[in-house]
C-alpha cells in the first residue's frame, strides 16, 4: 500500500478502512477514515492489508509560473522551516507538504504578487518543538546567503511553539540592515479559520519596510482585522491555541499591519535601515549548548542545580518567583554552581514586570552569591542570550553582558513596577 490508497486493515479484533496518509514513524501506518479522523496503527499489529482502491499519489512539479520580476517591488525571500504555516494540504490524500517553493506560495496566496517579488526556499521541514540550536545557526547561514544574493527582506516560516526562541537566537546571531520577519500560523491552511495567508501577506509586507532587526508577525487579535509586528526579543507565545497567541511582553508591538489594505502603522520607534549597507551581513553563530532553564518552585532542592553542575553545564537561567527569588533550600546549590564557575542568572516566572533583587533579603542574598539579575528579560530570551554569550565571550565578560541590553531584550527606559 502507498500514500493515497484506500485500504482495509485488519487487526486482532478490529478492522479500519481509510486513505493512507504520510506517517512520521516507520513503525506506524496513519489512515484518514471516512469520519475525517486520522488513526495511527502499529504496523506489527496489522494482520491483513487489502487495497480497496489505488489512490492518486501526491503530485509535485506543477508547471512553473515563469513570473516576471516587477522592478517596482522589493525582492523578498521566504525561508520555510516547517510548522503549520509552511504546510499545504493535499486534499485527496490529506498529506501535508511544505509549500514554500515560490510558485507554490503564489498559487496558494496570489496577493503576494502585489506586495513583493517572492523567492521561496525550504530549509527545514520540522515541527518547531524539534528545533535545535544548530538549526538556528543553519537558519542564520541561509539568511546570509539570501541577503548576499540580493534579498531586501527575509520572511522565516516557522512553527509557533518555539518561534520566540528562534527569533531570540537570530536577534543575537545576525547583524544586518535587512528586516527578518518570523511568521507562523495557529490554524492550518485547510481550515476555514486559518490565519496562515493573512499572516504571510502581512509578514511579506513587513519585510518590505525600511527597517532592520528580527521580528515576529502574527494575528494581533482573534479576528482577521490586524496583525502585529513584535520585536524578536520581546515576544512570547502566551496562548496555546488562539490566533493572537503571540504578545509583546513589557513592550508594545512595533507596528500594526492591516492585511487587506497593507497599511503599516508604527506604534513605537523602530530601527531604520542604512540602504547603502543592505548587502552587508555579519553572523555570530557560536553557542554554548550546555545551558539550562530551570523553573523555581516551593521546596526545590539544591540537588537539581548540583546535577547540572556535575553534568558540565556552564550556565543556568532560573525562572524565579516574584521579583527574582528562590527558596533557601536552593542556596546550597547556588553556592555549588558559583564555586564551579557556572553562571547563574535570574528571570521571573511572573512573565510581566522586571526582576528586582534589591527589595527582599532573599534577592540580596542571591546576588551576594553571584546570581545575575536579568531585568525585564523573558526567561526564554535570557536562556538563548546566555548560550550566545558563553559561546562567544570569556566568563567574566559574559557575566557583565548578561544584564546589559544587546538586542532589545532589556527595556531600560520603562518603570515596570506599577
Ligand atoms: N507544534 C508545531 C510547531 O510548533 C505545529 C504547530 C504550529 O505550527 O504552530 O511547529
Amino acid at each position: 500500500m502507498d500514500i493515497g490508497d484506500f485500504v482495509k486493515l485488519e487487526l486482532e479484533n478490529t478492522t479500519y478502512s481509510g486513505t493512507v496518509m504520510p506517517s512520521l514513524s516507520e513503525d506506524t501506518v496513519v489512515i484518514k477514515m471516512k469520519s475525517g479522523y486520522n488513526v495511527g496503527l502499529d504496523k506489527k499489529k496489522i494482520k491483513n492489508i487489502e487495497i480497496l482502491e489505488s489512490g492518486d499519489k501526491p503530485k509535485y512539479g506543477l508547471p512553473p509560473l515563469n513570473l516576471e520580476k516587477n522592478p517596482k517591488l522589493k525582492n523578498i525571500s521566504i525561508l520555510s522551516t516547517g510548522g503549520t504555516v509552511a504546510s499545504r494540504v493535499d486534499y485527496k490524500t490529506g498529506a501535508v507538504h511544505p509549500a514554500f517553493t515560490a510558485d507554490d506560495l503564489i498559487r496558494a496566496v496570489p496577493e503576494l504578487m502585489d506586495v513583493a517579488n517572492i523567492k521561496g526556499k525550504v530549509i527545514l521541514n520540522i515541527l518547531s518543538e524539534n528545533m535545535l540550536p544548530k538549526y538556528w545557526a543553519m537558519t542564520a547561514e541561509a539568511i546570509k546567503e539570501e541577503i548576499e544574493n540580493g534579498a531586501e527582506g527575509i520572511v522565516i516560516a516557522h512553527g509557533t511553539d518555539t518561534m520566540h526562541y528562534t527569533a531570540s537566537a537570530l536577534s543575537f546571531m545576525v547583524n544586518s540592515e535587512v528586516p527578518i520577519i518570523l511568521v507562523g500560523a495557529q490554524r492550518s491552511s485547510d481550515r476555514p479559520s486559518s490565519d496562515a495567508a493573512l499572516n504571510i501577506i502581512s509578514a511579506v509586507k513587513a519585510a518590505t519596510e525600511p527597517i532592520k532587526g528580527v521580528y515576529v508577525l502574527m494575528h494581533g487579535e482573534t479576528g482577521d482585522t490586524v496583525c502585529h509586528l513584535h520585536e524578536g526579543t520581546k515576544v512570547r507565545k502566551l496562548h496555546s491555541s488562539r490566533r493572537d497567541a503571540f504578545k509583546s511582553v513589557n513592550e508594545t508591538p512595533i507596528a500594526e499591519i492591516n492585511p487587506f489594505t497593507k497599511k503599516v502603522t508604527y506604534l513605537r520607534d523602530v530601527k531604520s535601515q542604512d540602504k547603502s549597507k543592505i548587502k552587508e551581513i555579519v553572523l555570530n553563530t557560536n553557542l554554548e549548548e550546555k545551558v539550562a532553564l530551570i523553573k523555581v518552585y516551593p521546596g526545590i532542592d539544591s540537588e537539581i542545580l548540583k546535577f547540572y553542575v556535575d553534568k558540565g553545564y556552564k550556565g543556568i537561567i532560573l525562572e524565579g518567583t516574584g521579583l527574582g527569588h528562590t527558596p533557601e533550600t536552593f542556596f546550597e546549590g547556588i553556592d555549588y554552581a558559583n564555586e564551579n564557575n557556572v553562571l547563574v542568572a535570574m528571570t521571573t516566572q511572573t512573565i510581566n514586570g522586571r526582576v528586582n533583587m534589591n527589595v527582599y533579603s532573599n534577592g540580596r542574598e542571591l546576588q551576594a552569591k553571584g546570581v545575575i539579575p536579568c531585568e525585564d528579560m523573558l526567561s526564554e530570551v535570557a536562556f538563548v542570550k546566555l548560550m550566545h554569550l558563553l559561546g562567544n565571550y570569556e566568563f567574566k565578560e559574559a557575566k557583565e553582558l548578561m544584564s546589559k541590553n544587546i538586542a532589545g531584550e532589556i527595556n531600560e527606559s520603562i518603570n515596570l513596577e506599577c
Side-chain angles (χ1 to χ4, degrees):
M1 65 181 162
D2 207 346
I3 294 171
D5 292 342
F6 191 76
V7 295
K8 188 161 128 192
L9 306 175
E10 278 175 40
L11 282 77
E12 181 85 19
N13 300 315
T14 354
T15 303
Y16 292 95
S17 302
T19 306
V20 182
M21 307 262 292
S23 166
L24 287 175
S25 156
E26 298 258 295
D27 308 323
T28 314
V29 176
V30 178
I31 59 166
K32 185 178 269 300
M33 298 186 294
K34 284 225 161 105
S35 62
Y37 283 100
N38 293 349
V39 60
L41 303 169
D42 185 346
K43 275 187 185 165
K44 284 192 251 76
K45 296 197 175 146
I46 299 172
K47 305 256 179 250
N48 189 43
I49 300 171
E50 208 180 319
I51 299 178
L52 300 175
E53 203 182 305
S54 173
D56 287 348
K57 304 296 170 280
K59 285 191 193 75
Y60 298 101
L62 290 167
L65 288 172
N66 283 331
L67 294 172
E68 295 219 340
K69 266 195 184 181
N70 179 343
K72 291 200 187 118
L73 297 179
K74 284 200 173 169
N75 300 319
I76 305 298
S77 289
I78 306 185
L79 303 176
S80 165
T81 65
T84 300
V85 69
S87 308
R88 166 174 62 85
V89 178
D90 185 318
Y91 288 96
K92 182 74 187 167
T93 63
V96 179
H97 307 288
F100 285 102
T101 67
D103 284 5
D104 283 340
L105 261 175
I106 289 164
R107 282 193 176 98
V109 191
E111 298 94 310
L112 287 177
M113 277 191 299
D114 302 331
V115 186
N117 296 310
I118 303 291
K119 182 178 162 202
K121 198 167 178 184
V122 178
I123 57 169
L124 279 169
N125 186 19
I126 57 167
L127 299 173
S128 75
E129 51 270 38
N130 295 326
M131 251 298 160
L132 294 172
K134 68 175 178 194
Y135 297 155
W136 298 333
M138 185 214 252
T139 306
E141 295 291 348
I143 291 170
K144 184 168 191 277
E145 196 182 317
E146 293 306 306
I147 291 176
E148 286 174 349
N149 286 327
E152 296 162 285
I154 304 281
V155 172
I156 315 267
H158 201 288
T160 58
D161 284 13
T162 68
M163 184 157 66
H164 46 308
Y165 288 84
T166 303
S168 264
L170 295 174
S171 301
F172 294 113
M173 285 176 167
V174 181
N175 191 353
S176 129
E177 297 296 317
V178 167
I180 297 164
I181 318 290
L182 286 99
V183 65
Q186 289 281 81
R187 312 268 197 284
S188 54
S189 55
D190 57 323
R191 294 176 63 177
S193 61
S194 177
D195 47 341
L198 295 185
N199 286 350
I200 292 172
I201 291 169
S202 305
V204 170
K205 175 65 193 165
T208 64
E209 289 289 290
I211 57 175
K212 65 177 179 179
V214 177
Y215 304 93
V216 166
L217 185 132
M218 288 290 284
H219 262 48
E221 50 107 37
T222 49
D224 284 334
T225 53
V226 75
C227 289
H228 278 167
L229 187 65
H230 306 274
E231 185 151 14
T233 50
K234 278 295 185 202
V235 64
R236 193 178 193 276
K237 187 175 184 180
L238 284 175
H239 199 281
S240 56
S241 55
R242 277 169 63 138
R243 307 194 307 167
D244 60 344
F246 280 76
K247 298 282 180 209
S248 286
V249 178
N250 293 327
E251 261 301 0
T252 41
I254 292 277
E256 265 181 14
I257 300 182
N258 180 319
F260 301 101
T261 62
K262 325 281 186 305
K263 184 171 184 298
V264 180
T265 310
Y266 284 97
L267 305 175
R268 62 184 172 96
D269 284 350
V270 71
K271 289 166 268 173
S272 42
Q273 68 185 185
D274 177 349
K275 278 210 177 101
S276 67
K277 296 188 180 152
I278 202 90
K279 279 198 172 184
E280 288 175 26
I281 169 164
V282 179
L283 299 185
N284 193 343
T285 57
N286 297 333
L287 291 171
E288 169 55 69
E289 292 197 25
K290 285 280 191 192
V291 171
L293 172 56
I294 302 175
K295 186 162 190 145
V296 170
Y297 48 86
I300 187 169
D301 199 292
S302 285
E303 285 300 313
I304 291 183
L305 206 39
K306 287 183 183 166
F307 168 85
Y308 282 102
V309 174
D310 291 344
K311 285 279 176 197
Y313 277 71
K314 304 282 187 287
I316 307 283
I317 297 298
L318 295 178
E319 212 183 62
T321 54
L323 292 170
H325 305 135
T326 76
E328 288 165 10
T329 48
F330 211 52
F331 283 8
E332 198 190 318
I334 289 179
D335 286 335
Y336 188 66
N338 204 13
E339 281 153 26
N340 286 280
N341 278 334
V342 175
L343 203 161
V344 182
M346 180 67 79
T347 61
T348 174
Q349 55 195 252
T350 62
I351 299 178
N352 284 290
R354 132 181 274 130
V355 159
N356 186 343
M357 298 173 73
N358 298 315
V359 177
Y360 294 99
S361 58
N362 181 294
R364 289 197 291 271
E365 202 162 333
L366 287 167
Q367 285 191 84
K369 290 176 185 299
V371 177
I372 306 290
C374 288
E375 304 295 332
D376 69 320
M377 221 186 301
L378 285 160
S379 53
E380 297 83 5
V381 175
F383 166 71
V384 175
K385 180 177 177 180
L386 189 51
M387 290 172 103
H388 168 77
L389 293 179
L390 290 173
N392 293 291
Y393 300 92
E394 293 303 324
F395 185 84
K396 194 168 161 284
E397 210 175 341
K399 209 166 176 173
E400 278 163 16
L401 288 170
M402 198 58 206
S403 51
K404 300 219 163 72
N405 182 37
I406 300 179
E409 73 280 13
I410 295 176
N411 185 342
E412 281 156 308
S413 59
I414 294 179
N415 177 2
L416 299 163
E417 275 173 29
C418 33

